[in-house]
Structures are given as C-alpha cells and as structure tokens.
Amino acid sequence: MRLPRAVVGSAIVVVAALVTVGASSAGSDRDRGGATGLAPVDEPNERFFATGGQFAVECDYSHSARVDPIVWPGRSGRSHRHDFFGASAVDADSTGAALVGSPTTCRQRADTAAYWAPSLLRQGRPVEPAGVTAYYRVAPGVDPADVVAYPLGLAAVAGDAGATGPQPTGVVGFGCGRGGPVSGRVPSCPETKPLELRVTFPDCWDGEHLDSDDHHSHLAYSGRDGCGGEHPVALPRLTLVVHYPMSGDASDVALSSGAPHTAHADFLNGWDEVALGREVESCLERSVVCTIPESARAGR
C-alpha cells in the first residue's frame, strides 16, 4: 500500500513515519516476509558502507534535561536525563508541528526534528556528546520506489529503557569509530576511534497512528520482503549515531537510564515537510547517495 502524494509547489511530498519496537530477540518473526520482526533482518548498525540511496544529517549537541515529550508528555522531571540534538527548543510539551521552523543544531537547517538519547555517565558524571549523525536509508527487501517520508509529528522510540538483558545489536549497539563491530557492552575505544552509540529505528508504519500507547506498536521492522501486514507503509530506515569524545577504559560507564543494555533513542519528526519529501524522492527513491558526513570522510 502507498499513501496518496500531495504536490506542494514543484515538490512531491509524501508523509509517513517511524518509531521503535521493543527490544527483544527477533525470533522466528524476523524470518517472515512482512513487517513482523522485533529487530532488523540484517545488522544495520554495522552497515556504514551499504549500497543504495542515502542522505544524512549531522547535528551538534543542544542540551540535556529530564524531559521526554514522547513517553512523559507535559511532565518535566519525570524522565531520566536525556541528551538532545536537532531542535533546540525541546521541552516536555513539544510537538512535531511546534518544532517546524524552530532553531536547530543540524547542519541541514530544514531538519528541525528532535533526536535524543539517555545521557552517558562515566564515574557517575555525564559525558557531553560531540553530536549525532542521522543516516536515512532504505532497508534490504524494501523497494526504494515504495518509500515515503515520515508524517509530521511522528514519534519513535528505538530500544528499551527497561531492558533487563542484551538487546539485538541491529537495534542498539556500542562501537568504536564508524562502521566497526557493535556490542551491547560499552567497549574500551582507542583515541583515534572514540565511542559511539548506534540506534536503528523501525521502517514500516501502520499508516494511521503517529504514536501508540506503548510508543512501539504503530511501527515495525521490515522483513525479507519489505513491509506488509499491519504495517504496510515503507519509511526511510533511520540509524542514529551518537558520537562521544571518550576513549580508554569503559568499565565505569553507565547510562542515565541504567546499565548499558538499557540503551535507546527517540525521534520526534519536526522536519520541514517539503524539504524532507524532496530528500526522500531525490535520494532514497532514486537510490542515490546524496550525503557523505564529515565524520565518514575523516574515517571516524
């Protein structure tokens, strides 16, 4: 199923969405053709030299706060501490519509979406992140021509802050530098390849809800044959990479949400709709690599 496209000026804008699913192992659901898996069918957190279309956005660190407008809307202080990137005016009451056109830390000024992740703690003290890179791609098995842009206001949570054990590394994982192996544990990284957290969001949408009661079930990861079933709408696959200026011994590292296995990230779509639609159409639908981030050029 494809959503009807709306023409805005000369740009074709299609809206669709993304959020995460729970962080349990994929099991037999991963092997089915439709969008039923709880994790990607491949290992996207290691696929930084992937074939196919791509656009990417680099965003500086904005601020930290104990707010979460997706999980705890309107309840400042109820959440654990998060580090925010992109839209810089985020608070507990933020909505996607309110973020459009607001100040952003992203180099792509049309990206006024909000990205956030739990704060990284070393010996109990927060480590200020260097920034994030948001990679937008097409998952294996998905026809690029079927991919549509996220709808304004889509809420997504990838990973599980309440996890009691390891999560699939295709969903969340820590690594050293760009494109290397990932693990559920925080590795001790060399100075030339500092620590990263990589989080991949689901890429199939139910076509109706911008959020759900559990903040997961309106989205799913695509299967070998793309999207289908209760989540028929194909979206870009977002992988968020959080960069930390940290190397050396990591035995004293935790997250504000708890142990490293509670890693997760959130996305609230506040992109300019015309600009996002143009990126999806020009890059993903046509299988063109439109952006190579500076961190990739530097080999970090």
Side-chain angles (χ1 to χ4, degrees), residues 7-260:
V7 179
V8 180
S10 60
I12 298 178
V13 181
V14 185
V15 250
L18 84 72
V19 160
T20 92
V21 321
S24 37
S25 102
S28 59
D29 283 347
R30 289 184 59 182
D31 300 324
R32 300 178 187 171
T36 56
L38 297 178
V41 295
D42 60 337
E43 285 294 329
N45 292 336
E46 297 184 16
R47 294 179 68 252
F48 285 88
F49 303 96
T51 58
Q54 166 185 297
F55 65 95
V57 181
E58 295 180 288
C59 308
D60 293 332
Y61 166 71
S62 173
H63 64 284
S64 298
R66 291 191 60 188
V67 300
D68 188 328
I70 294 177
V71 178
W72 297 105
R75 301 185 66 179
S76 181
R78 182 65 180 82
S79 168
H80 51 259
R81 189 180 194 266
H82 287 107
D83 298 331
F84 287 84
F85 313 86
S88 56
V90 178
D91 59 27
D93 298 305
S94 291
T95 64
L99 296 179
V100 176
S102 67
T104 180
T105 67
C106 297
R107 288 156 178 73
Q108 162 58 279
R109 308 312 291 178
D111 185 359
T112 50
Y115 309 89
W116 63 94
S119 297
L120 186 78
L121 309 176
R122 192 174 198 178
Q123 295 182 340
R125 294 188 293 272
V127 175
E128 183 174 306
V132 299
T133 305
Y135 292 87
Y136 295 85
R137 296 178 171 137
V138 179
V142 174
D143 185 341
D146 290 338
V147 175
V148 298
Y150 315 126
L152 180 62
L154 178 75
V157 184
D160 184 2
T164 58
Q167 302 187 58
T169 55
V171 176
V172 293
F174 294 91
C176 299
R178 175 178 173 266
V182 293
S183 169
R185 298 182 179 182
V186 181
S188 297
C189 298
E191 290 186 5
T192 55
K193 294 183 177 182
L195 182 68
E196 293 182 343
L197 169 64
R198 305 172 202 162
V199 183
T200 294
F201 291 79
D203 57 306
C204 298
W205 180 41
D206 67 9
E208 180 180 359
H209 303 97
L210 296 179
D211 198 358
S212 48
D213 289 342
D214 62 1
H215 312 297
H216 297 292
S217 57
H218 57 302
L219 297 165
Y221 291 92
S222 56
R224 292 193 318 272
D225 299 324
C227 299
E230 296 180 357
H231 302 86
V233 182
L235 309 171
R237 181 161 75 176
L238 170 63
T239 295
L240 187 68
V241 181
V242 185
H243 307 283
Y244 299 100
M246 194 189 102
S247 57
D249 179 38
S251 60
D252 55 358
V253 170
L255 298 172
S256 57
S257 52

